[in-house]
DNA sequence: CACCTCTACCGAAACGTTTCGGCTTTCGGT
DNA sequence: ACCGAAAGCCGAAACGTTTCGGTAGAGGTG
């Protein structure tokens, strides 16, 4: 290593060995000054050249790029941050129970999708978890207070979600995920009305007439959205809306819903087909139904919503409406970066969630 | 809002309204200069005062703190970063399939634990996901190249893990999670030998003599660790080591293992008790066994490893060895922050994982 | 009273970029 | 041959901290 020790100087140009780029172990890193010296230009030119800004001739640009490469120059994120008033990272605050990531496929894939986009632009994702709602809000606030992030994702939106006024007040770029139509910020959405309609069609065409729905907690907007889509689809077949039970997206919620809908009832008073608002609760529903001697798909048809891997493993395998969280993440990230860049960003609708019929749904029981 | 518009000046002291702390929506934020002006001191004194450094009298310190509070001063992370050469964030690169977070409880709770510690110190977690191994390594490298993080967690360690030499070369503080004894960096560990021994004792005391093990992929060190613990515990009962099948931590892996161990065999050639290296594969094993007409716990006892919530839902509920990833995260974060602060940090062993006997294990079949 | 020490505080440099006004140089047009 | 514009390049300020050397004054000592 012939690098001069101590602080680097203009003399860096002397170290003309053509070694490949190499990161210094300790903090003695190569800066824009070194590159400028080596290329024999001013640092402002280096900056312009490396950021593809006009005002640099092609010849010098090439020389600068070469010098940068030879020295293994990596622009300091810190200097950049301070100067350009950007953090080069975006935030996602997960505001549910810490055990969410355990069983919820959404965030894993969603984050995966986000990553692919961020990475390409040298942005990073800061993940925070808050179990309490209040705490979550505080998280957003502090994230914004020291400008640790340039923007945030708003997922799992609630009705009257306090995060919306918050980010507006803070002037923090944000994009919503599966937001309501009147959402005041850019949003990416995956429609579920098609999938739900397909499911209802599927069920009705198999002779089902007594349908029921297990919703999510009504504080989340998608509970209402799915309820509405369901009601419309059912009404389109001139059927009664059927029972609606509020669940909570958990396995136990599904169990409770099954108990509620299936115990102390004559078979012809039970629904013959049930849609649960997510796969996990559908799986709970199936388990409890089985315990109660109500078999799927013979005695009852059950469908979920999400398309988690586990659903294809259980027996009977779970019919579901498959969403594409990864794609949602990709689009959300793209939009957020655009918003941060100050571009006008339009809402995006990705391909709707579709019915994925599997083993847990089938013909209605004959005697019904 | 009586704040002077445009750039702030020393005249900030004039804005003597005692409003509560308030963050400016746009980038026109209150800086250390404003605080200094208001308190009538030099900015260096403000810095010292707010960072609890000596050289400030109690009186002025109080005055400064007050001024800072009145103005709602939040030190700029960016300025701080540049000046102090720290990023105030740490990195975690998850290097498995994006679907990992779907079904693996580990990361959710682990991250939750990390968060609680980081948050208290105003650190943030940067999460990256890389499906490919190489890609993952590149992630670490770029994370370090622009010094986006001050340290990283090394989880899911592999044998001869290339990340170890990498962080050493980069001089990047790191802590290992469940590392081998000869791990060259600080590590937090949760022993599983106790739990595995408890499980083997439990099985043997229930009359089991033909045991089998479904491991994880051998490229992960914990596959070897668990295999060793298992072998020793079995040997302690003077039993044959039994069959060992390599799984892959997935549901399908469990299915495959069950097919392998249970088909084309007379009942007295089958193992009567099986431990799978994680819960998910144990659940897969159970499902496949059931399909093959081998019932748990009557015909076969099956246990998992992890303690995921789902295990308590299925029927029979899954006996398992319960780990505490959250605690692992807490300790890992504590250690990493200490390492970053330059303190000497010793390895930590948290309370061992313990057997959680549930429905999927029981007495060995009578005829065996 | 002169000297020294220590404390509290200040000023300025440093961290590594981006950005902007201004200076040369070049070149096309008359 | 001259002028103006535009392009290429430079220097310096700015971003908001931390840190370090230095200074004034208080207080103690001989």
């Amino acid at each position: 290593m012939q690098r001069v020790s101590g602080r680097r100087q203009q003399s860096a140009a002397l170290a003309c060995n053509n070694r490949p780029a190499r990161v210094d172990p300790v903090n003695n890193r190569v800066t824009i000054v070194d590159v400028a010296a080596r290329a024999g230009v001013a640092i402002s030119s280096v900056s312009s050249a490396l950021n593809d800004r006009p005002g640099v001739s092609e010849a010098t640009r090439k020389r600068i790029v070469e010098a940068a490469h030879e020295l293994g120059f990596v622009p300091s994120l810190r200097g950049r941050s301070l100067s350009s008033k950007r953090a080069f990272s975006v935030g996602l605050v997960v505001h549910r129970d810490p055990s969410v990531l355990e069983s919820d496929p959404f965030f894993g894939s969603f984050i995966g999708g986000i990553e692919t986009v961020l990475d390409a632009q040298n942005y990073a994702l800061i993940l925070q978890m808050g179990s309490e709602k209040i705490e979550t809000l505080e998280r957003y606030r502090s994230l914004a207070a020291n400008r640790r992030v340039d923007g945030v994702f708003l997922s799992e939106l609630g009705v009257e979600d306090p995060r919306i006024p918050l980010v507006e007040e803070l002037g923090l770029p944000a994009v919503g995920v599966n937001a309501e139509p009147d959402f005041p910020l850019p949003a990416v959405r995956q429609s579920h009305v098609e999938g739900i309609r397909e499911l209802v069609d599927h069920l009705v065409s198999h002779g089902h007439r007594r349908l029921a729905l297990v919703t999510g907690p009504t504080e989340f907007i998608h509970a209402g959205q799915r309820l509405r889509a369901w009601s419309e689809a059912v009404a389109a077949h001139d059927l009664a809306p059927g029972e609606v039970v509020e669940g909570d997206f958990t396995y136990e919620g599904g169990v409770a819903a099954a108990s509620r809908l299936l115990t102390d009832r004559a078979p012809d008073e039970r629904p013959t087909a049930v849609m649960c608002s997510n796969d996990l609760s559908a799986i709970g529903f199936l388990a409890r139904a089985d315990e109660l001697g109500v078999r799927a798909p013979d005695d009852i048809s059950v469908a979920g919503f999400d398309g988690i891997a586990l659903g294809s493993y259980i027996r009977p395998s779970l019919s579901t409406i498959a969403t594409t969280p990864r794609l949602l993440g990709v689009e959300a990230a793209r939009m957020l970066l655009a918003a941060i860049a100050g571009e006008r960003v339009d809402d995006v609708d990705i391909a709707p969630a579709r019915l994925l019929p599997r083993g847990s749904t089938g013909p209605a029981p004959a005697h019904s």
Side-chain angles (χ1 to χ4, degrees), chain A:
Chain A
M1 308 298 126
Q2 310 169 327
R3 264 183 71 50
V4 283
S5 65
R7 34 192 62 276
R8 87 233 111 10
Q9 339 245 37
Q10 276 78 329
S11 67
L14 297 178
C16 288
N17 50 348
N18 269 5
R19 290 166 186 279
R22 137 164 180 60
V23 189
D24 260 13
V26 261
N27 258 329
N28 199 8
R29 317 201 30 230
V30 26
T31 77
I32 199 174
V33 178
D34 303 323
V35 179
R38 172 141 197 166
V41 298
I43 60 167
S44 48
S45 301
V46 177
S47 179
S48 299
L50 297 183
N51 291 350
D52 283 318
R53 260 176 248 302
V56 185
S57 72
E58 205 40 58
T60 53
R61 180 184 307 270
K62 184 153 169 266
R63 199 148 39 89
I64 290 172
V65 168
E66 248 169 31
H69 188 254
E70 284 166 9
L71 294 174
F73 171 63
V74 180
S76 152
L77 207 66
R78 303 185 191 143
R80 242 150 98 70
S81 274
L82 183 59
S83 181
S84 65
K85 295 168 179 292
R86 291 197 289 161
F88 298 100
S89 40
V90 296
L92 172 64
V93 181
V94 179
H95 84 296
R96 285 199 282 170
D97 206 73
S99 66
V100 173
L101 287 176
E102 279 203 25
S103 33
D104 195 323
F106 184 81
F107 285 106
S109 305
F110 183 63
I111 291 173
I114 289 175
E115 284 285 338
T116 61
V117 177
L118 293 190
D119 212 52
Q121 308 232 21
N122 246 301
Y123 261 71
L125 175 70
I126 287 187
L127 180 68
Q128 309 240 55
M129 316 210 3
S131 41
E132 302 298 332
K133 262 244 181 78
I134 312 292
E135 186 191 338
T136 300
L137 216 57
E138 219 31 68
R139 284 296 215 332
Y140 276 103
R141 203 180 284 279
S142 90
L143 231 39
N146 44 31
R147 295 274 153 175
R148 197 186 263 285
V149 296
D150 296 329
V152 294
F153 299 101
L154 298 180
S155 68
E156 307 287 298
L157 285 157
V159 295
E160 308 263 323
D161 199 304
R163 293 175 293 172
I164 301 176
L166 178 65
V167 298
E168 286 187 315
E169 174 201 335
L170 296 172
L172 192 64
V175 325
V177 179
N178 282 336
E180 291 280 37
D182 63 351
F183 189 70
L185 302 161
V188 55
R189 299 182 179 83
Q190 180 167 42
S191 167
H192 36 242
V193 309
E194 292 81 354
I196 290 180
R197 189 174 26 189
E198 285 172 358
L199 171 61
V200 171
D201 291 352
H202 167 77
L203 294 173
V204 171
S205 74
H206 278 75
H208 293 276
R209 293 295 176 269
R210 286 196 308 281
L211 311 178
L213 174 69
V214 178
T215 71
T218 51
E219 73 216 57
F220 291 116
I221 60 164
H222 47 280
Q225 291 171 339
R226 290 178 198 174
L227 171 58
R228 237 170 299 136
W230 170 264
S231 305
E232 283 166 19
V234 171
H237 286 281
D238 290 322
L239 290 176
E243 281 176 273
V244 175
V245 178
E246 182 175 340
D248 60 358
F249 286 139
T250 68
Y251 184 97
E252 290 96 332
V255 168
S259 299
R260 173 96 169 275
L261 289 172
L262 303 180
T263 50
D264 296 331
R265 297 201 188 185
D268 61 352
E269 289 177 334
R270 296 195 295 237
T272 66
V274 178
M275 163 175 157
C276 298
S277 276
N278 74 340
D279 283 350
L280 195 60
S281 59
I283 292 171
F285 192 102
L286 279 173
R288 177 64 178 144
D290 194 69
E291 265 181 23
L292 294 170
V294 182
R295 310 287 169 207
D298 297 338
D299 303 325
I300 193 168
S301 284
V302 176
F305 194 109
D306 272 348
I308 69 177
L310 191 63
S312 67
Y313 299 149
I314 61 168
R315 290 294 168 264
S317 57
L318 181 67
S319 294
T320 190
I321 295 170
T323 61
T324 52
R326 185 181 183 80
L327 203 52
L328 224 40
V330 168
E331 282 308 327
R334 234 197 276 285
M335 293 170 67
L336 186 53
L337 290 184
I340 289 170
E343 299 167 20
R344 199 177 98 69
V345 358
D346 293 315
D347 287 12
V348 169
D349 285 272
I350 67 173
R354 304 308 294 259
L355 173 65
L356 191 60
R358 287 195 287 222
S360 62
T361 52
H367 60 273
S368 147

